[in-house]
Amino acid sequence: MFRLGLIINPVAGMGGPLGLKGTDGEEILELVLKKGALPQAPSRAAHVLKALSQEKDKICLLTCPGPMGADTASQCSMPFETIPLEINQKTLPEDTRRAAKMLQESSVDLLLFVGGDGTARDIGAAVGERQLCLGVPAGVKMHSSVFALSPHHAAEIALGLIKGRRPQPRLAEIMDIDEEAFRADQLRARLFGYLPVPGSQRGLQVLKAGSSASEKAKQQAIAAFFVEEMDPNRFYLIGPGTTTRAILQALGQIGTLLGVDALQDGKIMGKDINENDCLAFLDQAGFEQATIVVTPIGGQGFILGRGNQQLSAEVVRRVSKKQILVVATPDKLQLLRGSPFRLDTGDPELDRQLCGIYRVLTGYRESAYYRAEL
Amino acid sequence: MRAKTKIRDFHQARWNEPIIFDLSTPGERGILLPEIEPEVEASAGGALDELPGDLKRSNPPGLPEMAQMRVLKHYLRLSQENLGADLNVDIGQGTCTMKYSPKINEQFAASPQLSGLHPAQNEDTVQGTLEIMYQLEQFLKAISGMDRFSLQPGGGSHAILAIVSMIRAWVDDRGLSDTKDEIITTIFSHPSNCAVARTKGFKVINIYPDPKTGRPDLEAFKEAVSERTAALLITNPEDTGIYNENIKEFTDLVHAHGGLCSYDQANANGIMGITRAANAKFDFCFFNIHKTFSSPHGCGGPGCGGVGVKEHLIPYLPVPLTSFDEANNRYYLDYDVPKTIGKIKDYYGVIPAIIRAYAWIRSLGAEGLLEAARVAVLNNNYILNRIRAMKGAEAPYAEGEHRIEQVRYSFQPLKEETGCGFDEVQRRICDFMCHLWSSHEPFVVPEPFTIEPTESYSREEIDEYLAALEKIIEEAYTNPDVLKTAPHNSSIHHIAEHEYLDDPKLWAVTWRMYNNRFEGYFEPKKEQQ
């Protein structure tokens, strides 16, 4: 039996129709409820469960009580067990976290969660990188790449797993924005972590490529090329991400997944450094002797300003465009579906200047030249 | 759609035919050979006596044992269970140029006069074959503007290997091995260009398409070209069917940096007689002789990748070339190629593909080749306009423009709106005696499919195919389960998902491996440990 965990964040997405840029925080939720907003997530969850019910004999569905799962599951002719979780009358983020933890401890093969970026953050905080997850999009904000494209896709991916497919998991970004700033029309996204998701999240296309190399092996190939080309006299600011982390691992260094590390001659000179540290390192090394290494956000293509705010406009302004090196596996580039890289340093003039062509390391002795646009 | 276009009420044969090994009966024979007469054996010895002992098997091979009639039925049944090129509308096999190969050309290739030749025969006894090879080379030179051709490579990727081997030899010859170490290609050029370049020790740079025009991003290309550029390997038009009219700007830039340019013309079906590689200043080009010229691509037997070069690269061509000795009025295999990359194929290359191509070109003439290209382009753009009007399908890039011989389409809207994407349509279209190929990388285009009608298909057949597509799309919106459970009228029902392709642990490329790993046809015996 395939052990499937399901968490529905019943309030996810409710702020959207009211023009609110999220439904996070008790105050906003009160406002949403007062204005009579209707839940969005249960119908999306039902869509997935109905699609999965064709294989219900193979599924052991574990879900949360009431609006966080059981209410919807009971309407979908899908047998299920409810985990012994006490939830608040108005569900809160800690309910999601406790549910995720409990389902992980119940050894679910896949944890499906229905919500938005806020929900993804709660799931990530609870289960870290040790639980295969998949987001069913239902939130107002959908910046994370842990979500399937639609409930259709989520059901399809889950069905594949239920039928025995075992694609290599890949770590997908959990992104969220600063909601207070967002409601003031300032968009600032942060990288909050990673969740393992089924490898071929966009359907079967990676399979058709006949590639047997895992995403990890491809990242290692990029790292090997980087190390081969590395100039020991140069100073590198290595941005967050699993591809950039592979570079540090290839050098035997332990970097930070979510932070920026400074590297010279194969050694980490500064770990998890902030904007000021970056500026200090650049001053010390000489601007021309520095290279910034970044990887795009999966499916969205932001190379600056989302998830790597330490590499601020002030930092980026001190180097030339040619000193920004992008690393990305071919799969990651292809997931952009032809869209260019995006820029969001917070300085529109700088973003404009940074538009153009970037060199991208894509494999061992393989690279691409790829366009960035606003 | 014409009023008379009807969707065929089709059902494929279903024989539930076992694998031939399962049909084996110990002792059953197709032919019983008479015992050798004692006096013959005494005089000539046993048939295997002269074979060295260590070459003899200790046990007979485990081949199936069957009588002739059962063998015949077995393979006829299997043949009825596939959608061969002579049965179905094959325009969904885009990039493969599934044109009709006139049966007389097949007869030439299979004729006893040809099949009875031994490849090691004295050249003087195969003058006719050598003449055909020589003449085909002259045709290809006229079509491409190149100065010499080798017909040795056994297919398109083999031709690319020959070309990059020549580039490697050319670079090494000039003492530039350390400085010219990069090859540039485009992401929509055939992946063998990238793979072969890596195999021959070059670093590879891929150029992605301009997001709007779909053409290789010229600005990115300018960034990529440098003194390190050994060569450009590029297709035009790429699999999108979009012609890059700036191609000469690409070749000029590479030449200005001292590099070479190779034109992948594996599929030249839309440009024969219209453009020439030499006019765009390419140093190399190759044709899939087995694809553009008569033979359909794939499973039609071994292919032939004809490699053409300009004068300055003739010394590097693989040997032998086919030359003509005017003084003695004879054709001969020419090994006098001073810097040759050597021999890359046994004997003459793949003669049947050469014969078919020769016959096809001779039957059409120069005007006929041009007409074939024009009709292929016309057919393609008719289909493009019809598919653009279909809900759920789209043709990414170059909006509103015509395409050349094929188009890489996308079912992404259909997938998002109905949950049915390419896979479902592919399975369902079998129910209408048609075929739709999944298309290959790069998967920059999601839910991709590629249609290439060539010049062979009639308006009626194209309409039939499009009517089937329209019907399936309508079903996707109104009754998606029909697609999800398809095929319904095929010899085999919905088979396993693609995970078997993805996991090497599940691969079974020989019967023995299959037996060791699986039972039944498609069900895993057990999880591999």
Side-chain angles (χ1 to χ4, degrees):
Chain A
M1 292 290 264
F2 186 87
R3 295 176 69 78
L4 178 67
L6 173 70
I7 297 173
I8 301 172
N9 175 3
V11 301
M14 288 173 73
L18 301 176
L20 298 169
K21 299 174 177 69
T23 324
D24 308 69
E26 279 187 63
E27 244 175 72
I28 295 295
L29 184 57
E30 285 295 334
L31 180 65
V32 163
L33 293 172
K34 198 185 284 180
K35 291 199 171 188
L38 294 171
Q40 308 285 316
S43 63
R44 289 176 166 254
H47 186 107
V48 177
L49 289 181
K50 280 175 188 160
L52 295 183
S53 64
Q54 61 178 276
E55 297 288 344
K56 62 184 174 191
D57 296 342
K58 295 181 183 167
I59 302 171
C60 171
L61 177 65
L62 301 170
T63 191
C64 316
M68 286 185 68
D71 290 352
T72 305
S74 59
Q75 293 163 14
C76 297
S77 47
M78 187 80 170
F80 64 95
E81 292 173 24
T82 309
I83 55 172
L85 175 76
E86 286 189 15
I87 58 173
N88 292 290
Q89 195 179 1
K90 289 175 193 160
T91 58
L92 296 171
E94 46 266 36
D95 294 326
T96 303
R97 289 186 206 142
R98 283 189 296 121
K101 193 84 195 149
M102 205 174 272
L103 286 168
Q104 183 184 26
E105 285 164 1
S106 304
S107 305
V108 290
D109 296 305
L110 174 70
L111 175 52
L112 268 182
F113 62 93
V114 188
D117 285 335
T119 319
R121 279 175 61 184
D122 292 329
I123 301 282
V127 301
E129 295 175 24
R130 297 175 304 281
Q131 172 66 53
L132 187 66
C133 294
L134 181 62
V136 178
V140 179
K141 300 163 290 147
M142 308 296 303
H143 295 88
S144 304
S145 56
V146 299
F147 294 101
L149 277 177
S150 65
H152 271 321
H153 286 80
E156 191 174 90
I157 293 164
L159 277 172
L161 295 172
I162 291 159
K163 289 176 183 172
R165 275 191 57 215
R166 291 291 179 270
Q168 292 278 345
R170 66 177 176 85
L171 290 178
E173 294 95 341
I174 303 170
M175 304 287 294
D176 200 2
I177 56 166
D178 177 336
E179 290 212 0
E180 277 185 27
F182 194 22
R183 279 190 277 273
D185 281 337
Q186 292 174 348
L187 189 64
R188 288 191 215 126
R190 271 185 59 201
L191 176 63
F192 282 91
Y194 291 85
L195 276 176
V197 298
S200 51
Q201 196 187 342
R202 285 270 184 153
L204 300 168
Q205 290 160 353
V206 175
L207 308 179
K208 283 176 200 154
S211 170
S212 56
S214 67
E215 186 75 357
K216 193 174 170 193
K218 289 172 187 171
Q219 289 171 344
Q220 287 168 342
I222 292 170
F225 188 27
F226 178 91
V227 171
E228 191 175 283
E229 283 202 330
M230 193 175 64
D231 177 350
N233 297 316
R234 280 194 88 75
F235 174 77
Y236 296 91
L237 287 175
I238 309 284
T242 53
T243 315
T244 45
R245 181 172 64 172
I247 290 172
L248 298 173
Q249 286 169 339
L251 291 164
Q253 304 290 302
I254 299 170
T256 47
L257 183 60
L258 303 181
V260 173
D261 301 315
L263 182 78
Q264 193 169 33
D265 197 14
K267 293 187 179 61
I268 288 182
M269 312 298 286
K271 199 167 171 176
D272 200 9
I273 58 177
N274 59 25
E275 178 191 11
N276 286 335
D277 298 330
C278 289
L279 292 170
F281 270 112
L282 286 176
D283 284 339
Q284 183 192 330
F287 304 148
E288 289 177 3
Q289 278 300 307
T291 298
I292 291 176
V293 185
V294 291
T295 190
I297 295 291
Q300 301 176 14
F302 284 97
I303 54 173
L304 286 168
R306 300 276 175 98
N308 54 16
Q309 280 86 344
Q310 303 93 322
L311 302 170
S312 64
E314 196 56 36
V315 172
V316 175
R317 209 176 281 122
R318 308 231 176 157
V319 300
S320 74
K321 193 157 75 69
K322 280 192 183 298
Q323 289 169 259
I324 298 171
L325 178 66
V326 183
V327 291
T329 61
D331 291 348
K332 203 169 187 183
L333 281 187
Q334 291 178 15
L335 278 174
L336 297 178
R337 303 300 184 219
S339 299
F341 289 149
R342 301 291 180 192
L343 302 153
D344 186 19
T345 61
D347 176 343
E349 178 54 25
L350 179 64
D351 289 344
R352 200 185 54 75
Q353 290 169 13
L354 289 171
C355 286
I357 307 297
Y358 285 82
R359 182 170 184 243
V360 189
L361 302 191
T362 55
Y364 181 63
R365 295 191 171 187
E366 286 181 26
S367 57
Y369 281 80
Y370 203 90
R371 183 175 288 274
E373 288 178 3
L374 291 179
Chain B
M1 194 196 316
R2 287 178 178 180
K4 67 178 182 182
T5 302
K6 284 198 295 190
I7 296 173
R8 199 177 293 267
D9 183 12
F10 166 76
H11 201 300
Q12 194 165 22
R14 183 171 185 277
W15 287 98
N16 197 21
E17 184 71 3
I19 285 170
I20 195 163
F21 288 91
D22 290 341
L23 293 171
S24 178
T25 305
E28 192 171 316
R29 289 289 179 274
I31 299 170
L32 292 175
L33 296 173
E35 289 293 317
I36 189 169
E37 293 90 337
E39 56 272 29
V40 173
E41 186 166 23
S43 168
L48 302 178
D49 287 355
E50 288 188 23
L51 207 58
D54 55 357
L55 288 184
K56 292 181 190 170
R57 307 182 67 111
S58 49
N59 297 307
L63 298 175
E65 299 174 71
M66 292 171 75
Q68 279 191 35
M69 194 166 73
R70 292 185 69 208
V71 175
L72 177 69
K73 285 177 183 170
H74 174 72
Y75 286 109
L76 271 177
R77 287 167 182 166
L78 292 185
S79 75
Q80 291 180 351
E81 289 189 325
N82 74 41
L83 283 177
D86 286 343
L87 273 179
N88 84 114
V89 184
D90 226 355
I91 64 175
Q93 185 73 19
T95 80
C96 289
T97 318
M98 299 304 288
K99 61 173 60 186
Y100 174 66
S101 185
K103 292 305 168 203
I104 193 167
N105 296 353
E106 303 295 330
Q107 287 172 19
F108 291 145
S111 68
Q113 291 92 327
L114 190 74
S115 59
L117 295 180
H118 192 282
Q121 261 176 247
N122 186 299
E123 283 171 19
D124 288 337
T125 66
V126 291
Q127 284 294 296
T129 303
L130 291 175
E131 183 180 355
I132 287 173
M133 293 172 70
Y134 183 84
Q135 291 299 339
L136 178 60
E137 181 184 353
Q138 308 316 308
F139 298 155
L140 298 177
K141 282 160 62 176
I143 292 167
S144 65
M146 291 289 161
D147 294 320
R148 274 228 79 166
F149 266 81
S150 164
L151 303 177
Q152 285 275 310
S157 295
H158 199 187
I160 297 171
L161 179 62
I163 287 171
V164 183
S165 298
M166 285 189 271
I167 293 168
R168 165 55 66 203
W170 180 87
V171 165
D172 292 349
D173 219 18
R174 278 159 181 68
L176 300 173
S177 313
D178 293 334
T179 50
K180 285 212 165 296
D181 60 352
E182 291 179 352
I183 280 184
I184 303 174
T185 186
T186 65
I187 199 73
F188 270 117
S189 290
H190 194 280
S192 288
N193 289 288
C194 174
V196 167
R198 287 284 296 111
T199 303
K200 299 303 290 186
F202 291 101
K203 294 175 185 170
V204 175
I205 298 172
N206 278 296
I207 303 299
Y208 275 71
D210 180 294
K212 290 185 187 66
T213 68
R215 293 166 176 83
D217 192 322
L218 182 57
E219 197 186 330
F221 181 71
K222 286 176 179 170
E223 289 277 336
V225 179
S226 73
E227 296 306 316
R228 303 206 77 88
T229 305
L232 165 69
L233 312 180
I234 196 166
T235 312
N236 187 29
E238 298 177 305
D239 286 357
T240 51
I242 301 167
Y243 189 78
N244 177 10
E245 67 278 1
N246 297 320
I247 191 67
K248 194 163 164 298
E249 212 171 324
F250 284 69
T251 55
D252 283 347
L253 201 56
V254 171
H255 287 144
H257 288 83
L260 298 171
C261 298
S262 171
Y263 192 168
D264 179 336
Q265 294 194 282
N267 186 348
N269 210 47
I271 54 176
M272 284 179 297
I274 298 170
T275 67
R276 303 203 311 168
N279 295 34
K281 302 294 178 194
F282 280 96
D283 305 285
F284 302 91
C285 80
F286 77 90
F287 295 110
N288 274 13
I289 303 292
H290 59 280
K291 186 159 131 179
T292 301
F293 305 100
S294 192
S295 321
H297 185 246
C299 304
C304 173
V307 171
V309 296
K310 291 300 289 177
E311 182 78 32
H312 58 292
L313 293 161
I314 293 175
Y316 296 93
L317 277 168
V319 287
L321 303 175
T322 312
S323 298
F324 181 61
D325 177 356
E326 283 190 32
N328 295 303
N329 192 31
R330 74 184 279 276
Y331 297 93
Y332 65 102
L333 295 173
D334 187 353
Y335 286 86
D336 185 17
V337 183
K339 295 176 178 177
T340 178
I341 57 166
K343 189 120 179 60
I344 59 168
K345 187 101 179 100
D346 293 339
Y347 301 109
Y348 291 52
V350 180
I351 294 293
I354 292 169
I355 298 287
R356 282 190 286 256
Y358 174 81
W360 194 76
I361 294 172
R362 284 296 302 269
S363 66
L364 288 176
E367 303 79 12
L369 293 185
L370 177 61
E371 183 66 6
R374 284 178 169 162
V375 174
V377 174
L378 181 66
N379 281 347
N380 185 46
N381 284 287
Y382 171 69
I383 293 170
L384 172 64
N385 283 332
R386 290 278 305 272
I387 291 184
R388 273 184 174 147
M390 289 182 197
K391 190 180 176 188
E394 60 186 10
Y397 304 121
E399 200 177 337
E401 290 185 38
H402 283 165
R403 305 289 174 101
I404 307 296
E405 84 293 11
Q406 62 187 335
V407 179
R408 178 70 46 89
Y409 298 96
S410 173
F411 275 133
Q412 184 67 15
L414 187 74
K415 180 83 175 177
E416 287 173 9
E417 290 162 16
T418 70
C420 296
F422 168 77
D423 288 300
E424 288 75 21
V425 178
Q426 182 188 43
R427 286 191 287 260
R428 178 63 174 144
I429 206 165
C430 295
D431 291 334
F432 301 97
M433 201 206 61
C434 296
H435 168 62
L436 188 63
W437 173 56
S438 57
S439 303
H440 56 57
E441 73 296 331
F443 294 109
V444 177
V445 174
E447 299 295 324
F449 65 107
T450 310
I451 293 190
E452 181 191 10
T454 76
E455 69 284 2
S456 302
Y457 282 92
S458 67
R459 167 85 184 269
E460 284 71 21
E461 284 188 298
I462 290 172
D463 280 343
E464 183 180 340
Y465 191 95
L466 295 171
L469 268 188
E470 283 166 344
K471 165 87 176 152
I472 293 166
I473 288 172
E474 182 198 330
E475 288 173 344
Y477 284 98
T478 55
N479 187 11
D481 281 349
V482 175
L483 273 72
K484 289 181 176 172
T485 53
H488 306 283
N489 300 339
S490 187
S491 53
I492 292 178
H493 191 55
H494 195 133
I495 60 165
E497 299 294 343
H498 288 270
E499 64 266 26
Y500 292 105
L501 296 176
D502 194 39
D503 186 353
K505 287 180 188 160
L506 296 173
W507 291 352
V509 295
T510 65
W511 171 246
R512 188 174 297 170
M513 193 187 277
Y514 178 83
N515 262 345
N516 288 339
R517 288 187 168 174
F518 298 97
E519 61 190 14
Y521 273 59
F522 298 108
E523 305 79 10
K525 186 189 286 183
K526 58 187 175 188
E527 289 273 329
Q528 297 297 305
Q529 299 303 313

